[in-house]
Amino acid sequence: MTEGVPRYTAREAIDLVTSGFTELPGPASPVHVYPVHPAAPAAPTREYGPDGPLSWQGYDASRARAAARTGEEESVVCGTATIGGTATVLISFEFGFLGGSLGERTGDRLEAAYAYAREHRLPVVSLVATGGSRMQEGMRALVQLQRVARQSTLTRAAGLSQIAVLRDPTTGGGWATLGAGADVVLALPGAQVGFAGSRVRPPEADPAAYTAEAQLAAGAVDAVVPPAELPGLLGLWLHLLSRPSAEPVPPPPALADTDLPASGWEAVDNARSPQRPCAAAYLDAYLDRRAAISGDRCGGTDDGMLCGFGVLKDGKDGGRTVAYAAQTGTATRPAGYRTAARLIRLADRLRIPVLTLVDTPGAANDAEAERQGAGAAIADVFGAVAAAGTPVTTLLIGEGGSGGALALAAPDNTWATPDSYFSVIAPELAAAILKRPPEEVRATADQLRIRPQDLVDLGAVRGIVEPLKSQP
């Protein structure tokens, strides 16, 4: 047990997030099919003698002691609950029952819970605390991970959201399926989180790497949430992810009352001004009750890319959920692009419209960015936008630096503020490539036709948004 970190029982974890819980009845008979491919023949109904499929001596007695100690029949409790006004299927692991391990009966319960969620069109929240697969059932336990993965995939394909809350500890296959495979991953402070449990890690391994905080820094967790804040944040996430909409959102109004630039270089100056409103200001003005996702699930984060979901403020579109991916004026890192692609694909699957805010001098092009796969990450965002069936709206709010900016731009639905520019390349770099002296940079900016009004004439953007106070 991680020192100083509370280890909640399954029922205590449920009580953390809801005051009303109705347990689903356990499946009367096995509901699984082996192998998991739908075209494959079903395995015979399992009929085991004493001590399970491996005849593991003492296994039945261990189960009986676990049941007496915890009051549970299995390592997972499944039911329905209302959290923050949204009905959900709630799954909670009992670590006191054989380390919260996954056996065949666990798989029966999880499969039945997921099937109930799809039948009743409910999101799934998993309160995970597990040491992994149950050794006393051998490979019959390990293949439950395939079973859980299939149920998660079917639920994802049904357009239902999945949220995981990582308790102490969350390790092994439970982390690699129910935990890391969720759409949104939250964790309790100090929780032990990692594929390797404490008894199977290399002896020299740094224990700090196997914590919720380390997983957040590595881009595998969206937020570390104190227990007192968990009900409110879970309720917000469930609200945000359960409100589909087929219509695109309008572009936000400009926050600065800036005249259109007279020259290309003036457009560059306006966009690079430290006084110009940036992404955070636009999100604050446009959205209410935001919740952020963090990380690319590949080991990285980028503070220069803000991603998440929020509720549109008052107006004819007020109350709708919108997903957002917003550049903050820095050179975007590969992790930022991958996080944005994750956000867009999640919104597309849940049929939630997307707003992207473009503001970057370009993609990060240092050696580390290349080692992290800058090209592939940018291509991932281009592909996510191109494939999206949900409507995407883009507002250019500052610098639009080449392909690193264009990757987030919606074809045929990109707008610009008066204090922005978009260019195939920065004017300074264009002049350098053309071997022009520095004094010709300003003229080069004019030649590139990068002003907002030029972008409209070129058909690169649909229009220029007006300041809020100028709108009727």
Side-chain angles (χ1 to χ4, degrees), residues 7 99 177 185 263 274 291 322 436:
R7 183 165 285 179
T177 51
V185 182
S263 67
V322 59
R436 293 178 176 178

Side-chain angles (χ1 to χ4, degrees), residues 299-316:
T301 62
D302 180 7
D303 292 338
M305 181 74 78
L306 306 179
C307 293
F309 293 78
V311 176
L312 285 174
K313 288 190 174 180
D314 294 339
K316 67 176 183 178

Side-chain angles (χ1 to χ4, degrees), residues 150-392:
R150 176 168 173 76
Q151 291 305 309
S152 177
T153 299
L154 291 172
T155 304
R156 187 176 297 115
L160 300 170
S161 61
Q162 299 171 70
I163 302 174
V165 178
L166 312 181
R167 296 152 49 204
D168 185 57
T170 298
T171 61
W175 163 229
T177 51
L178 283 166
D183 300 318
V184 175
V185 182
L186 310 176
L188 296 181
Q192 180 187 169
V193 180
F195 187 64
S198 58
R199 297 184 183 181
V200 296
R201 298 170 193 155
E204 71 278 4
D206 178 7
Y210 301 84
T211 63
E213 289 76 9
Q215 296 292 352
L216 175 65
V221 166
D222 291 300
V224 174
V225 188
E229 298 176 15
L230 186 59
L233 185 55
L234 261 183
L236 175 57
W237 269 118
L238 288 166
H239 175 88
L240 292 172
L241 299 182
S242 302
R243 303 298 191 276
S245 176
E247 296 299 319
V249 295
L255 293 184
D257 192 2
T258 305
D259 293 331
L260 290 173
S263 67
W265 190 250
E266 184 181 347
V268 173
D269 270 344
N270 289 342
R272 293 177 180 173
S273 169
Q275 283 74 46
R276 173 185 56 79
C278 294
Y282 275 92
L283 294 175
D284 286 342
Y286 193 63
L287 298 176
D288 193 14
R289 301 174 63 201
R290 300 203 309 268
I293 67 167
S294 176
D296 63 358
R297 301 298 188 259
C298 299
T301 62
D302 180 7
D303 292 338
M305 181 74 78
L306 306 179
C307 293
F309 293 78
V311 176
L312 285 174
K313 288 190 174 180
D314 294 339
K316 67 176 183 178
D317 294 293
R320 285 207 290 158
T321 296
V322 59
Y324 63 86
Q327 293 169 314
T328 64
T330 61
T332 305
R333 309 294 305 177
Y337 290 114
R338 284 190 286 262
T339 304
R342 178 166 79 91
L343 179 282
I344 293 166
R345 290 192 176 103
L346 174 58
D348 186 38
R349 178 160 50 79
L350 299 178
R351 293 296 180 255
I352 294 171
V354 177
L355 171 70
T356 62
L357 300 179
V358 171
D359 183 13
T360 180
N365 58 7
D366 54 87
E368 184 60 27
E370 295 296 345
R371 282 192 286 267
Q372 293 171 356
I378 296 169
D380 198 26
V381 180
F382 270 118
V385 172
T390 197
V392 181

Side-chain angles (χ1 to χ4, degrees), residues 95 99 220 230 264 353 442 467:
F95 190 77
L230 186 59
R442 293 172 180 260

